[in-house]
Amino acid sequence: MSFNLDLAVSAMPLLLMGALVTVKITALSVGLGVVIGLFVGIARICNVRILRILSAVYVDFLRGTPLLVQIFLIYFAVPVITGIRMDPFVAAITSCSINSGAYVAEIFRAGIQSIDEGQMEAGRSLGLTWKQTMCYIIIPQAFKRVIPPLGNEFIALLKDSSLVSVIGFEELTRRGQLIIARTYGSLEIWTCVAIIYLIMTLTISRLVAYLERRNAKGGAR
Amino acid sequence: MITLKNLHKSFGDITVLNGIDLEVAEKEVVVIIGPSGSGKSTLLRCINHLEQPTEGTVEVDGILLDSEANINAVRAEVGMVFQRFNLFPHMTVLDNITLAPMKVRGVSKEEAEKTANELLKRVGLGDRGGAYPSQLSGGQQQRVAIARALAMHPKIMLFDEPTSALDPEMVKEVLNVMKKLAEEGMTMVVVTHEMGFAREVGDRVLFVDDGRILVEGTPEEIFDNPKEERLKSFLSEVL
């Protein structure tokens, strides 16, 4: 059996539209995940015990269960409790961002803890509060250090977002499945889908490498 | 100015400070010497509660350090210079110096920068405001750190081995700045291995060993006429 190029080409517009949806949920989820992760990451190391415990439970639960199961829980199980039917888009964003938030939290925690203790001491000795020292001194330095692992997380999430196809959300993978159901072109379509994912992930990793290089020049140690 | 009463500090099973009583008067320069691990840095760090004493009280300028608010108030009045400078590497020299006055005291940017530039001139770095710490030598970084602490107009300055991380040729430029500060009447507590500085600038020298102030006296009493065996053997090793 040979590769049907015409089929691949004709499927492209639909697949690219799916890719756009993939980019959209990934970007939204990463954005929300970074916000969640920043707060949870700081909670992990703050001096309030209850926040430390809650954030540790959050991270353990979300990293210790499969994303697929989390998607099912949010899409099928939450409506059972609340009685509200979930929109697939909302369910997709919610599950991806709270999942990503757990990984990002660990990235931020490690980033913050990698900053020399003397920085916090210097800030506090000047009369700055813990919060001010975090905001102006620790987090800006930690941010530069976490760019590479955040980039990895971005790439991982972009690929993992294919899992939301199981709730019928039409991103790239789901689009591919639907086209195959119609045309039986497994070889052509899955090849195209793989290539589109590859192009997106390579773009992100180049972008991250660029940011890293630019930051290295920015005076900081 | 500073009153320490019955200060104890342990880390787990290890006792670092073992009952310290100390009074520092206004405009006095107290130099703390002693072998490494004797607790002299911990003693200094208890004054602004970078270390929380296990027992005992610290009072600075009439304020007892017993609450978060009091501790922050005292820290704003007490400048500290660290062995490893601890400048903020992501900020320019000027931003390093203006941050705390602006955020803690609410000083305007213009005024903070004016003060910062004056202080930089005073420590001999008038033209380096735009540089990043990594572009400066160790001695220059430490002088910026001193300027940063002075920008809060502190009543007291604490120095924690300020020249120990410096190349030998840079020690002097930092000591000179400290000497000038002492001559201007700053209340200072200095932990150092620079015996020349202790003798020349110190009003009073404390010899700390095993978490206690073993001997205290004028520089002459300590260096010219030491009586205690521990002090004698320490001095014979460092002088």
Side-chain angles (χ1 to χ4, degrees):
Chain A
M1 188 183 168
S2 64
F3 190 94
N4 184 344
L5 195 64
D6 285 345
L7 176 60
V9 171
S10 65
M12 250 327 154
L14 273 176
L15 289 178
L16 286 177
M17 269 156 62
L20 208 64
V21 176
T22 290
V23 169
K24 210 161 99 186
I25 49 172
T26 307
L28 271 172
S29 304
V30 163
L32 287 169
V34 166
V35 174
I36 296 172
L38 183 57
F39 282 105
V40 175
I42 292 172
R44 291 271 281 157
I45 49 173
C46 75
N47 46 16
V48 184
R49 206 175 123 86
I50 184 74
L51 285 181
R52 279 206 309 273
I53 294 172
L54 286 176
S55 55
V57 169
Y58 176 88
V59 169
D60 282 345
F61 181 77
L62 283 145
R63 295 203 312 172
T65 55
L67 176 57
L68 188 58
V69 174
Q70 292 166 20
I71 293 169
F72 284 143
L73 268 174
I74 285 175
Y75 189 61
F76 295 114
V78 169
V80 175
I81 302 168
T82 60
I84 304 164
R85 223 185 96 81
M86 272 270 178
D87 177 62
F89 181 72
V90 174
I93 298 285
T94 310
S95 45
C96 283
S97 54
I98 64 172
N99 178 275
S100 179
Y103 287 92
V104 173
E106 286 299 275
I107 292 172
F108 274 124
R109 183 188 56 75
I112 288 169
Q113 286 179 329
S114 79
I115 304 297
D116 186 75
E117 261 180 68
Q119 294 287 308
M120 176 58 85
E121 291 184 350
R124 299 308 303 275
S125 79
L126 287 163
L128 295 166
T129 61
W130 186 85
K131 223 156 92 186
Q132 287 175 319
T133 311
M134 270 289 168
C135 284
Y136 301 120
I137 297 165
I138 309 293
I139 290 172
Q141 292 182 61
F143 239 106
K144 288 187 180 176
R145 291 200 190 167
V146 299
I147 285 174
L150 269 188
N152 290 340
E153 172 55 25
F154 198 166
I155 290 169
L157 187 62
L158 188 127
K159 293 184 292 177
D160 287 349
S161 71
S162 62
L163 288 171
V164 301
S165 60
V166 295
I167 55 174
F169 187 66
E170 288 191 26
E171 39 65 75
L172 177 54
T173 302
R174 180 71 182 160
R175 279 287 162 92
Q177 284 175 334
L178 292 176
I179 296 169
I180 290 164
R182 208 158 23 85
T183 63
Y184 302 106
S186 297
L187 171 66
E188 292 81 1
I189 302 303
W190 285 132
T191 305
C192 289
V193 168
I195 290 172
I196 295 174
Y197 272 115
L198 187 64
I199 291 170
M200 291 194 289
T201 53
L202 284 179
T203 309
I204 299 171
S205 61
R206 287 294 132 81
L207 199 72
V208 170
Y210 165 75
L211 282 177
E212 219 180 320
R213 266 202 315 279
R214 207 190 57 176
N215 255 322
K217 285 188 224 148
R221 63 173 110 180
Chain B
M1 215 51 178
I2 304 172
T3 310
L4 309 180
K5 276 191 193 138
N6 189 32
L7 217 57
H8 286 75
K9 173 73 186 175
S10 2
F11 297 100
D13 290 339
I14 304 154
T15 304
V16 184
L17 295 182
N18 210 342
I20 300 272
D21 290 285
L22 177 66
E23 288 264 358
V24 179
E26 203 175 339
K27 301 195 172 181
E28 193 180 16
V29 177
V30 173
V31 180
I32 304 175
I33 61 171
S36 42
S38 60
K40 53 193 192 306
S41 278
T42 307
L43 165 55
L44 190 77
R45 291 157 58 86
C46 279
I47 295 176
N48 63 356
H49 268 222
L50 281 186
E51 300 293 354
Q52 190 104 31
T54 322
E55 202 187 314
T57 58
V58 180
E59 201 182 306
V60 178
D61 198 25
I63 303 171
L64 192 66
L65 281 83
D66 58 353
S67 68
E68 186 71 20
N70 281 359
I71 291 170
N72 280 337
V74 163
R75 281 176 177 161
E77 305 293 336
V78 178
M80 185 154 194
V81 175
F82 300 87
Q83 181 176 355
R84 285 169 50 241
F85 329 134
N86 297 348
L87 292 180
F88 309 134
H90 61 303
M91 295 181 182
T92 63
V93 163
L94 207 62
D95 290 340
N96 263 276
I97 301 174
T98 56
L99 179 71
M102 283 163 60
K103 300 298 174 195
V104 180
R105 297 250 198 260
V107 172
S108 73
K109 195 174 158 71
E110 296 75 42
E111 202 186 323
E113 288 187 350
K114 200 174 138 240
T115 314
N117 279 316
E118 282 163 14
L119 286 168
L120 281 175
K121 256 182 231 140
R122 233 169 99 190
V123 298
L125 292 167
D127 54 342
R128 303 312 303 271
Y132 281 91
S134 57
Q135 297 165 321
L136 302 179
S137 73
Q140 291 174 324
Q141 288 190 49
Q142 193 61 300
R143 284 185 281 151
V144 171
I146 293 173
R148 179 176 69 178
L150 290 175
M152 291 295 283
H153 303 296
K155 295 178 175 153
I156 299 166
M157 286 285 283
L158 308 176
F159 292 86
D160 189 4
E161 301 196 26
T163 57
S164 298
L166 295 177
D167 292 333
E169 72 269 23
M170 291 168 187
V171 169
K172 214 171 153 194
E173 65 188 53
V174 171
L175 290 181
N176 282 341
V177 170
M178 292 168 61
K179 210 170 112 186
K180 226 166 68 187
L181 210 54
E183 283 162 4
E184 288 162 11
M186 177 66 77
T187 308
M188 292 167 51
V189 184
V190 184
V191 171
T192 188
H193 292 290
E194 293 294 327
M195 296 304 148
F197 176 85
R199 178 195 286 264
E200 192 186 345
V201 182
D203 295 316
R204 186 155 48 118
V205 178
L206 312 179
F207 175 65
V208 173
D209 196 21
D210 272 339
R212 283 194 183 99
I213 299 174
L214 219 59
V215 189
E216 68 174 287
T218 63
E220 293 73 30
E221 289 167 348
I222 297 284
F223 294 111
D224 299 337
N225 199 7
K227 294 188 180 67
E228 287 73 10
E229 278 312 311
R230 283 291 300 133
L231 176 58
K232 272 193 218 170
S233 72
F234 172 74
L235 288 176
S236 71
E237 272 162 40
V238 294
L239 286 177

